[in-house]
């Protein structure tokens, strides 16, 4: 699958090597991604657990999220809800970041903006909720996404790039 990296290909690399691997992967444009693409991986297993990364049209990381209890298809769908009542979705954060009106027109404008944004999955099926939560945090530290708020525990952490990319970095 051209928009997916198996987590085993990242674990053990340096943070800089992992970052380069992520940025050089073939992320798929959201406008070219079908829900069917998110259902099953190359091994005919359900696409359920891992971390997803959204890049803007300039290939900058804007969002990192985790999928540990539902399918990726459900998670992405929930992030694209067009309602000001959804305060913590990707689309709502983008509306705020772009300083668009917090109403339906702002959400429509944001939806148009993301047509060339790209989506990448770090597949971590069967790794468990705790592992995926730590993987999300390590990806946030590594990629510094624009729209994520760093948890308090992560605010003082900085990486040189030479650390080993592993969930043990965040404990």
């Amino acid at each position: 699958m051209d928009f997916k990296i198996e987590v085993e290909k990242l674990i053990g690399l340096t943070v800089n090597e992992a970052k380069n691997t992520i940025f050089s992967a073939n992320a798929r444009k959201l406008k070219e991604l079908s829900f069917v693409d998110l259902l099953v991986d190359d091994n005919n297993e359900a696409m359920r657990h891992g971390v997803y990364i959204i890049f803007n049209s300039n290939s900058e990381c804007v969002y990192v999220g985790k999928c540990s209890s539902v399918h990726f298809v459900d998670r992405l769908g929930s992030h694209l809800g067009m309602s000001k009542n959804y305060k913590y979705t990707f689309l709502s954060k983008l509306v705020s970041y772009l300083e668009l009106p917090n109403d339906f027109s702002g959400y429509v404008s944001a939806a148009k903006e993301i047509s060339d944004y790209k989506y990448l999955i770090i597949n971590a099926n069967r790794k468990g909720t705790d592992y995926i939560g730590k993987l999300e945090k390590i990806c946030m530290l590594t990629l510094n996404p624009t729209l994520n708020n760093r948890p308090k525990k992560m605010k003082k952490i900085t990486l040189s790039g030479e650390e080993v990319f592993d969930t043990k970095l965040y404990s």
Side-chain angles (χ1 to χ4, degrees):
M1 210 166 278
D2 66 340
F3 63 98
K4 181 186 75 174
I5 299 173
E6 296 296 327
V7 70
E8 291 81 11
K9 291 187 177 183
L10 297 173
I11 300 299
L13 299 175
T14 67
V15 166
N16 283 338
E17 290 169 335
K19 186 175 183 177
N20 290 337
T21 300
I22 290 167
F23 275 102
S24 65
N26 292 321
R28 175 113 32 111
K29 286 185 178 183
L30 285 171
K31 69 181 178 185
E32 297 169 356
L33 187 65
S34 77
F35 281 130
V36 174
D37 294 329
L38 298 171
L39 292 175
V40 179
D41 68 12
D42 293 338
N43 298 319
N44 289 321
E45 291 187 27
M47 292 283 295
R48 291 187 58 120
H49 304 127
V51 169
Y52 54 93
I53 302 163
I54 300 176
F55 303 94
N56 67 16
S57 54
N58 296 323
S59 298
E60 300 161 330
C61 178
V62 294
Y63 195 81
V64 172
K66 66 180 176 183
C67 186
S68 59
S69 62
V70 296
H71 293 267
F72 283 99
V73 70
D74 295 327
R75 195 72 188 109
L76 180 59
S78 69
H79 267 300
L80 300 179
M82 295 180 73
S83 169
K84 62 183 180 180
N85 296 327
Y86 302 133
K87 295 180 182 177
Y88 303 109
T89 67
F90 169 72
L91 204 55
S92 68
K93 289 179 180 190
L94 186 62
V95 165
S96 177
Y97 179 76
L98 296 174
E99 298 179 348
L100 297 169
N102 189 21
D103 60 18
F104 191 69
S105 70
Y107 280 76
V108 170
S109 295
K112 289 178 186 174
E113 173 80 19
I114 65 169
S115 65
D116 286 325
Y117 280 28
K118 294 181 179 179
Y119 189 77
L120 180 72
I121 291 172
I122 299 176
N123 190 28
N125 270 346
R126 299 191 188 115
K127 297 288 185 183
T129 303
D130 186 55
Y131 182 93
I132 292 167
K134 289 177 181 178
L135 180 62
E136 175 196 33
K137 303 301 186 276
I138 298 309
C139 287
M140 288 171 137
L141 286 169
T142 300
L143 303 173
N144 294 308
T146 309
L147 299 179
N148 287 96
N149 295 322
R150 275 190 174 199
K152 289 178 185 176
K153 186 175 181 181
M154 290 174 46
K155 290 196 188 245
K156 295 180 182 177
I157 299 174
T158 57
L159 301 175
S160 70
E162 296 307 312
E163 299 87 350
V164 174
F165 186 89
D166 194 296
T167 56
K168 294 172 188 160
L169 276 174
Y170 185 83
S171 43

